[in-house]
Amino acid sequence: MKFCNLKKGVLFILLVLSFSAGKAQAIRGFGNVTAYSVSNDFKKGAIVYIGGGAEFEFHPLFKPEVSLSYSLMGLNDQEFYDFDTNTLEKLSGDVYMLNFNVGPKIYFWYSGETFDSAACWYYIVPKINMSRIVANGNYQFIDYDDPQNNLIQKGHRADWQHSFGLTLGMEFPIFNSDAIALSVTVNKTNMGKTLNRLPYNNTDYGTLLAGAGISYYFGIKK
C-alpha cells in the first residue's frame, strides 16, 4: 500500500513538472534553507532543511512550485542507571528526511505603485508534502553482574509520510527575475511514527509545526 501511494505521488509530481515546463511563460529555479524548532529529544534545537526546486509562471500572480529538500538530524542519547550510577540501558540514533513538495504559489499583495516596480511581493503556497523518513537506532543493555547477558540491538526503520503544509512569504526583487524571499512555513510531519519503531524507543518526538526560511530565486527560461 505504501509503495502504491509513493508511486502515485511521484507520478503526480512528474506530471505537474512536465505540464508546467511545457505551458509556463517563465521558469525560475531556487535554493532554500528552512529551520524548524524541535523538542529537546534531538541533539540540536532546530532541524535544518536544505533544498531547491523550480517555479513555473502561468500568470504574474500564479506560479506553481516543485521542490526537493534534505535534512539530517541526531537523537539525544537516552541513558538509564542503577543505584550506583552505572549505565544499564542506552538508546542512541540518527535520522534523515527527504522531502518532495508541490503547490501553487499565489501572490496576494505587493508593496509599490505597480506589481513590476514593487519593493516586495507577498505570497502564499499551500503544499502537498511527501517525506521519506529513515531512522537508525542502537539499544544497549549492560549487566554488570553477568556480562553474558549484555545485549546490543540495532534497528533501521523507513517510512513515507504524506502531509499538507502552508508557506507565507515576502519576496524582494534584486535584478531581472532574481529575488530573495523570506518565509514562514507550517508543516505537520509526525516524527514519532517512524522513530518509535526503533528498538525500545517510546519517546514522544512530537510533530514538526512551524519553521522560518530564506530562498534565492534565479531565472532559467523566459
Side-chain angles (χ1 to χ4, degrees):
M1 181 65 69
K2 291 182 179 180
F3 176 77
C4 292
N5 290 336
L6 169 61
K7 187 176 181 180
K8 291 178 181 178
V10 172
L11 287 175
F12 174 72
I13 289 179
L14 291 176
L15 285 174
V16 171
L17 185 63
S18 61
F19 175 79
S20 299
K23 300 294 184 178
Q25 300 173 12
I27 300 175
R28 292 194 302 178
F30 63 87
N32 173 266
V33 177
T34 302
Y36 291 89
S37 177
V38 292
S39 68
N40 295 329
D41 297 308
F42 293 89
K43 287 187 177 180
K44 296 184 179 180
I47 295 176
V48 178
Y49 285 59
I50 299 176
E55 171 203 88
F56 306 91
E57 179 181 330
F58 289 88
H59 184 275
L61 299 179
F62 179 72
K63 304 177 182 181
E65 290 187 348
V66 177
S67 64
L68 173 68
S69 62
Y70 174 83
S71 179
L72 176 67
M73 64 207 82
L75 306 179
N76 273 338
D77 294 342
Q78 301 178 50
E79 297 183 347
F80 305 93
Y81 304 91
D82 62 10
F83 293 107
D84 296 323
T85 67
N86 295 316
T87 301
L88 292 180
E89 294 179 283
K90 182 177 181 180
L91 292 169
S92 60
D94 58 77
V95 57
Y96 70 84
M97 297 177 62
L98 189 64
N99 307 282
F100 300 89
N101 306 296
V102 59
K105 183 179 184 182
I106 304 169
Y107 292 90
F108 60 92
W109 195 70
Y110 57 90
S111 175
E113 295 180 358
T114 64
F115 185 83
D116 291 335
S117 64
C120 65
W121 308 327
Y122 297 83
Y123 63 85
I124 184 172
V125 187
K127 299 178 181 179
I128 299 174
N129 307 313
M130 293 193 303
S131 300
R132 178 65 170 176
I133 304 175
V134 180
N136 298 288
N138 294 295
Y139 170 79
Q140 184 177 10
F141 174 78
I142 303 172
D143 189 337
Y144 290 94
D145 296 324
D146 187 356
Q148 292 184 354
N149 294 329
N150 290 352
L151 172 67
I152 297 178
Q153 185 174 353
K154 296 183 178 181
H156 174 81
R157 295 293 183 266
D159 292 302
W160 282 97
Q161 285 195 33
H162 303 79
S163 61
F164 294 94
L166 185 68
T167 295
L168 294 173
M170 299 171 59
E171 182 177 321
F172 301 89
I174 301 176
F175 56 88
N176 295 329
S177 59
D178 289 18
I180 292 178
L182 303 177
S183 62
V184 293
T185 298
V186 177
N187 186 14
K188 190 175 182 180
T189 302
N190 188 341
M191 305 291 291
K193 287 185 178 180
T194 303
L195 300 181
N196 290 151
R197 295 172 59 217
L198 293 174
Y200 301 94
N201 194 341
N202 297 312
T203 301
D204 182 9
Y205 290 96
T207 300
L208 292 183
L209 289 176
I214 183 171
S215 303
Y216 183 85
Y217 289 85
F218 53 91
I220 296 178
K221 171 187 173 183
K222 285 189 175 181

